[in-house]
């Protein structure tokens, strides 16, 4: 935090009496710009205020404050398409009994900071347990009250009764009146979608199949019908918003894609037909692969759920390789809190072990992730006009992808949050 305050002060002083946006040049040994093409070496990225002004390797312009990162590699701020930042560390099915919305918001602020420091400057947050705490977190970050990634948030899960988001696993007789996330049938789904968007959600998260970290229906079981998912898609589209669907089982994946969801999250049990549907319907595959490893060592996950995770691990890995082979776009996601907040980048090495190239893995967390969010106009690549969201690692992530687990320097919107300020 000391660095953050120092830089904020430096930028203010630089602006002097008239608050002209500060001119800054960031210099590094190489730049991976997120577009998947050639590496620029050396690189100079010129920023004015919160935006990138130019990218090249000419000398910094006169009057620019120079941030020299030496031998480091510069990249776009990373994007995680599937986080749960407001998790309190308690198993989510217990959160409604043992925690409060205030706790979720405070933990959310902490988790947002940890995630930003890990180099993730943008997240699509896939739903809190306590409704709308994610919306409050997004607002607080946008207002500069707490540091964190740029957020796109779901507001509240949309789950069928007994489904992956039905937190009343302890007893159906105990209701938690402020949680209105259960919806069955077209009319109820329309209502919860409208309610979420009215409250300020940016997109809709539906739970189309069972889940791993749940005592409800098993992951392979389809829960929402194609018709129900289509109603969510139709209603969200009226607001210009997309639907992200939690889908593990094959039948549920196919129904979701046919229904028009934008992202198949997890996508654990793909088959050839499902891959072809992704292609023909222009849906995006957003797997969360490192969860298999993190769940197996997490003391807070009950054995029954560790077993669920073990059962689908190989299917998940195989599904990823099928979509990779089909040469379809793949988004980057982690399911943090299932993976501890701040360890998001471990997903990269897992994917590279399964055969993805380091450059493609990086593009999935930058350019492709921004496309999936419809945020290509502002984040995802290092190009003139976009937000000055940049991260640096000391080595070359194309040689060793685990470099991304050791982000040394983070800038969001032209403000340095982590690292040396020279
Ligand atoms: Zn999730």
């Amino acid at each position: 935090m000391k660095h953050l305050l120092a830089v904020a002060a430096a930028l203010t002083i630089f602006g002097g009496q008239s608050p002209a946006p500060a001119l800054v040049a960031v210099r590094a040994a190489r730049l991976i710009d997120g577009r998947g093409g050639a590496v620029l070496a050396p690189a100079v990225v010129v920023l004015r205020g919160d935006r990138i002004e130019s990218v090249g390797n000419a000398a910094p312009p006169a009057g620019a404050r120079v941030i020299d990162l030496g031998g480091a590699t510069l990249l776009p701020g990373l994007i995680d398409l599937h986080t749960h930042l407001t998790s309190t560390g308690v198993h989510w099915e217990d959160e409604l009994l043992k925690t409060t919305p205030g706790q979720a918001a405070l933990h959310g602020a902490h988790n947002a900071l940890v995630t930003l420091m890990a180099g993730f400057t943008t997240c699509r947050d896939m739903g809190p347990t306590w409704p709308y705490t994610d919306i409050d977190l997004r607002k607080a970050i946008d207002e500069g009250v707490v540091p964190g990634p740029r957020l796109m948030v779901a507001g509240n899960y949309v789950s069928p009764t007994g489904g992956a988001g039905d937190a009343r696993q302890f007893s159906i007789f105990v209701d938690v009146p402020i949680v209105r996330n259960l919806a069955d049938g077209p009319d109820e789904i329309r209502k919860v979608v409208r309610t979420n968007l009215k409250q300020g959600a940016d997109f809709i998260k539906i739970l189309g199949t069972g889940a791993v970290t749940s005592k409800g229906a098993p992951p392979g079981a389809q829960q929402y019908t194609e018709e129900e998912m289509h109603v969510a898609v139709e209603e969200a589209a009226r607001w210009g918003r997309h639907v992200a669907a939690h889908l593990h089982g094959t039948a549920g994946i196919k129904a979701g894609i046919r229904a028009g969801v934008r992202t198949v999250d997890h996508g654990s049990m793909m088959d050839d037909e499902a891959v072809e549907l992704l292609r023909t319907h222009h849906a995006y595959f957003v797997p969360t692969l490192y969860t298999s490893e993190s769940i197996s060592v997490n003391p807070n996950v009950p054995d029954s759920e560790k077993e669920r995770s073990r059962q689908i691990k190989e299917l998940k890995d195989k599904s990823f390789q099928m979509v990779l082979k089909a040469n379809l776009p793949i988004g980057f996601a982690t399911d943090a809190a299932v993976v501890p907040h701040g360890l998001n980048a471990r997903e990269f090495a897992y994917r590279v072990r399964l055969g993805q190239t380091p450059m493609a893995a990086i593009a999935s967390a930058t350019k492709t992730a921004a496309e999936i969010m419809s945020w290509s106009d502002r984040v995802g690549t290092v190009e003139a006009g976009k937000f000055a969201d940049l991260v640096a690692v000391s080595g070359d992530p194309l040689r060793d992808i685990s470099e991304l687990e050791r982000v040394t320097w983070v800038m969001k919107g032209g403000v340095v949050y982590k690292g040396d300020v020279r």
Side-chain angles (χ1 to χ4, degrees):
M1 288 307 289
K2 206 174 71 204
H3 286 314
L4 167 61
L5 296 176
V7 170
L11 291 174
T12 309
I13 291 161
F14 192 85
Q17 289 286 330
S18 58
L23 189 64
V24 175
V26 183
R27 197 154 55 184
R30 62 194 83 75
L31 167 71
I32 296 170
D33 70 6
R35 292 185 295 175
V39 175
L40 181 67
V44 176
V45 180
V46 179
L47 328 168
R48 195 178 289 273
D50 64 354
R51 299 276 176 169
I52 296 169
E53 189 163 271
S54 68
V55 183
N57 49 20
R65 190 171 67 85
V66 177
I67 298 175
D68 190 346
L69 297 173
T73 303
L74 204 55
L75 302 106
L78 303 171
I79 302 173
D80 189 334
L81 292 169
H82 194 130
T83 60
H84 299 280
L85 291 173
T86 53
S87 65
T88 56
V90 174
H91 190 287
W92 73 273
E93 287 173 353
D94 293 335
E95 274 186 324
L96 298 176
L97 285 180
K98 297 179 179 171
T99 74
T100 64
Q103 249 178 303
L106 290 164
H107 280 257
H110 173 75
N111 296 334
L113 175 64
V114 166
T115 305
L116 179 66
M117 292 305 174
F120 288 80
T121 53
T122 298
C123 293
R124 187 179 66 163
D125 201 70
M126 291 292 279
T129 301
W130 289 108
Y132 317 129
T133 46
D134 55 348
I135 294 170
D136 296 331
L137 179 61
R138 183 198 67 204
K139 284 182 182 161
I141 291 170
D142 288 348
E143 289 165 359
V145 175
V146 296
R150 302 178 194 284
L151 294 187
M152 178 178 265
V153 302
N156 200 358
Y157 296 111
V158 180
S159 170
T161 296
D166 189 343
R168 303 166 303 167
Q169 306 297 349
F170 42 88
S171 165
I172 202 167
F173 300 106
V174 180
D175 197 7
V176 184
I178 75 163
V179 180
R180 290 277 170 256
N181 68 341
L182 300 181
D184 302 286
D187 290 348
E188 287 183 13
I189 288 175
R190 245 180 247 292
K191 181 149 191 168
V192 296
V193 168
R194 289 170 179 169
T195 304
N196 283 352
L197 296 175
K198 183 231 181 305
Q199 292 295 338
D202 300 302
F203 69 100
I204 297 299
K205 155 91 178 272
I206 58 171
L207 294 148
T209 69
V212 173
T213 55
S214 170
K215 292 171 207 70
Q222 180 177 345
Q223 297 223 280
Y224 270 136
T225 65
E226 183 177 326
E227 185 201 8
E228 287 173 310
M229 289 193 268
H230 180 69
V231 167
V233 170
E234 184 183 68
E235 200 56 41
R238 291 198 172 112
W239 295 63
R241 309 297 170 81
H242 75 258
V243 171
H246 158 111
L247 297 166
H248 285 289
T250 314
I253 290 172
K254 292 177 188 175
I257 299 172
R258 288 198 183 98
V261 303
R262 185 164 180 86
T263 58
V264 173
D265 286 70
H266 313 304
S268 304
M269 304 180 199
M270 304 294 293
D271 66 6
D272 289 337
E273 189 191 6
V275 173
E276 204 41 43
L277 283 170
L278 280 176
R279 187 195 308 281
T280 52
H281 286 69
H282 305 291
Y284 289 94
F285 177 60
V286 182
T288 53
L289 301 166
Y290 180 69
T291 50
S292 306
E293 277 185 23
S294 62
I295 287 172
S296 70
V297 296
N298 186 336
N300 296 327
V301 175
D303 287 344
S304 61
E305 295 170 24
K306 285 195 168 104
E307 181 53 28
R308 286 184 174 206
S309 174
R310 260 195 301 276
Q311 282 170 4
I312 65 165
K313 179 185 183 299
E314 278 178 27
L315 296 170
K316 286 169 65 187
D317 293 356
K318 191 169 145 259
S319 294
F320 176 71
Q321 288 171 319
M322 287 173 74
V323 179
L324 198 59
K325 202 167 154 223
N327 206 19
L328 293 173
I330 299 177
F332 184 92
T334 63
D335 216 1
V338 176
V339 169
H341 298 286
L343 300 185
N344 313 57
R346 291 200 182 171
E347 177 79 14
F348 286 107
Y350 195 104
R351 291 179 177 207
V352 168
R353 276 203 301 280
L354 289 176
Q356 194 172 32
T357 66
M359 188 59 108
I362 291 168
S364 76
T366 53
K367 181 177 189 281
T368 304
E371 272 169 27
I372 290 170
M373 294 174 76
S374 303
W375 276 12
S376 296
D377 61 335
R378 65 200 84 169
V379 296
T381 58
V382 182
E383 291 178 279
K386 298 205 181 179
F387 281 124
D389 293 358
L390 301 165
V391 300
V393 296
S394 55
D396 181 356
L398 300 181
R399 286 165 189 261
D400 175 6
I401 194 70
S402 76
E403 284 288 347
L404 296 176
E405 296 167 23
R406 297 177 293 279
V407 166
T408 55
W409 183 86
V410 178
M411 169 184 272
K412 180 190 150 205
V415 177
V416 177
Y417 287 84
K418 179 183 187 177
D420 211 5
V421 182
R422 276 183 271 179

